[in-house]
Amino acid sequence: MNSVYRRILARQPAIKGHTYDLAVSGSDVNDLLPQAREAVSLPKKPGLVLIQTVDNDMKCDGTDPQNYKPYATKLAALLAFIAKRDPGARVFIVSVWATSQNYAEAVQHLSAAGRSDKEGTGLCDVLDLSGKPRPAGIAGSERIILAYQREVAVTCARFSTCRYDGGSVHRMVIQSSDLTSDGNHLSVRGQRKMAAVVFATLY
């Protein structure tokens, strides 16, 4: 796959072999600091740290407004830690992939198993019980995502070593083939699409 690493490698051959994936599926903002500790303990400290956050921090139970500031505080602590322990590193924070409207349009075409946990009447359920896009859930999910992403933008701007993608990945248009069968992750095709957007925003 033409990953972000491979795209950068084509420009900077000296980084060959210096790539580490410390991401863990299901991580939230609380998990980022332990991952950063692991990163700065590597034999060769990273010059570029890519972070994708927000998705697993969403509560979707009405309590998200109370979580925005605590989330931002924890993100700031992470960025301060990296700046102190690896001052030469650039941090690039990637937004949530795809808008809620686009996601609903894509995920509705998956199997019943792939749609099941997106169907309902909850605040962030983007599909109704028949598997069709649900405007109320789409609006609720998008409102929460954008609120967290505003916190990311403001927090990142406080650090000279940090850049936010400005919502570039969030604006990336996906299709059902860009999703894994469970609808919760990007497929290889989707990962390739996101890598192109991240690289274009980086450079």
Side-chain angles (χ1 to χ4, degrees), residues 28-46:
D28 62 19
V29 72
N30 296 299
D31 299 304
L32 294 180
L33 190 54
Q35 292 169 10
R37 289 194 181 102
E38 187 176 357
V40 300
S41 299
L42 293 168
K44 186 175 179 63
K45 290 184 179 181

Side-chain angles (χ1 to χ4, degrees), residues 7-68:
R7 293 167 193 266
I8 297 175
L9 180 63
R11 288 190 172 208
Q12 303 177 33
I15 70 166
K16 186 173 183 179
H18 299 300
T19 178
Y20 302 93
D21 183 1
L22 304 178
V24 178
S25 180
S27 295
D28 62 19
V29 72
N30 296 299
D31 299 304
L32 294 180
L33 190 54
Q35 292 169 10
R37 289 194 181 102
E38 187 176 357
V40 300
S41 299
L42 293 168
K44 186 175 179 63
K45 290 184 179 181
L48 173 66
V49 179
L50 297 178
I51 298 172
Q52 188 165 36
T53 178
V54 170
D55 188 56
N56 291 311
D57 292 282
M58 295 171 62
K59 308 299 183 183
C60 291
D61 59 1
T63 65
D64 282 288
Q66 289 76 51
N67 192 45
Y68 298 146

Side-chain angles (χ1 to χ4, degrees), residues 43-131:
K44 186 175 179 63
K45 290 184 179 181
L48 173 66
V49 179
L50 297 178
I51 298 172
Q52 188 165 36
T53 178
V54 170
D55 188 56
N56 291 311
D57 292 282
M58 295 171 62
K59 308 299 183 183
C60 291
D61 59 1
T63 65
D64 282 288
Q66 289 76 51
N67 192 45
Y68 298 146
K69 293 306 178 185
Y71 167 86
T73 297
K74 293 172 184 177
L75 183 63
L78 164 76
L79 296 175
F81 174 82
I82 295 174
K84 181 178 180 180
R85 294 289 301 276
D86 190 6
R90 292 184 298 147
V91 178
F92 188 73
I93 304 182
V94 179
S95 54
V96 176
W97 46 264
T99 65
S100 298
Q101 179 68 46
N102 180 205
Y103 178 64
E105 292 168 353
V107 79
Q108 70 173 321
H109 299 296
L110 297 182
S111 67
R115 298 192 311 266
S116 62
D117 61 341
K118 294 87 177 164
E119 297 174 347
T121 59
L123 189 59
C124 295
D125 291 327
V126 297
L127 301 179
D128 62 24
L129 295 174
S130 67

Side-chain angles (χ1 to χ4, degrees), residues 176-188:
S176 56
S177 56
D178 295 318
L179 297 170
T180 53
S181 59
D182 65 3
N184 295 322
H185 304 87
L186 292 176
S187 64
V188 172

Side-chain angles (χ1 to χ4, degrees), residues 1 174-175 177-178 186-194:
M1 184 180 75
I174 63 167
Q175 300 172 328
S177 56
D178 295 318
L186 292 176
S187 64
V188 172
R189 183 179 186 272
Q191 291 281 357
R192 185 183 300 116
K193 182 179 289 188
M194 187 173 82

